[in-house]
Amino acid sequence: MKTLKKVPLELVEVEFIPPHNEMEFGKLYYSKDYETTNHLCPCGCGQQTPIPIKKGEWQIQFDKDRFSILPSILQRLGCQSHYIITNSIANIV
């Protein structure tokens, strides 16, 4: 796969995911207590992208001050972007 765009993401640890109008582009909100993340699509369309962090679904891995989410993320509605977050960078393919 060819990477079309790379977007750096900052991890923001929260108890509760903020409402859409308070979310900022380039930030991934992570609630360890509720095993979920949410961010605005890295393509720039503004769509919220909730990701449940659970076995059999997505996993979040930490390496020092960076994070990765596996497997890749496919927007099924709207822009239909496909990307993988590795080392705090969303790689849109």
Side-chain angles (χ1 to χ4, degrees):
M1 280 190 222
K2 182 179 179 183
T3 300
L4 301 176
K5 183 178 179 182
K6 293 183 177 202
V7 178
L9 295 175
E10 176 187 346
L11 183 71
V12 180
E13 294 187 46
V14 295
E15 181 177 0
F16 301 106
I17 301 296
H20 182 257
N21 64 340
E22 293 179 17
M23 294 176 74
E24 294 181 43
F25 181 78
K27 294 189 178 184
L28 183 126
Y29 300 91
Y30 171 58
S31 173
K32 184 176 181 179
D33 293 340
Y34 293 97
E35 299 180 311
T36 193
T37 71
N38 203 337
H39 62 285
L40 300 178
C41 182
C43 85
C45 72
Q47 182 173 325
Q48 284 189 76
T49 309
I51 302 171
I53 303 298
K54 297 180 182 170
K55 282 196 172 211
E57 294 186 39
W58 285 275
Q59 301 296 310
I60 189 165
Q61 300 172 343
F62 297 98
D63 182 23
K64 298 181 184 174
D65 59 343
R66 296 180 180 183
F67 65 93
S68 299
I69 295 181
L70 298 169
S72 65
I73 300 155
L74 173 63
Q75 296 283 9
R76 295 184 187 266
L77 303 172
C79 70
Q80 299 190 4
S81 289
H82 183 209
Y83 54 98
I84 189 163
I85 299 173
T86 307
N87 294 322
S88 302
I89 296 175
N91 296 283
I92 301 173
V93 294

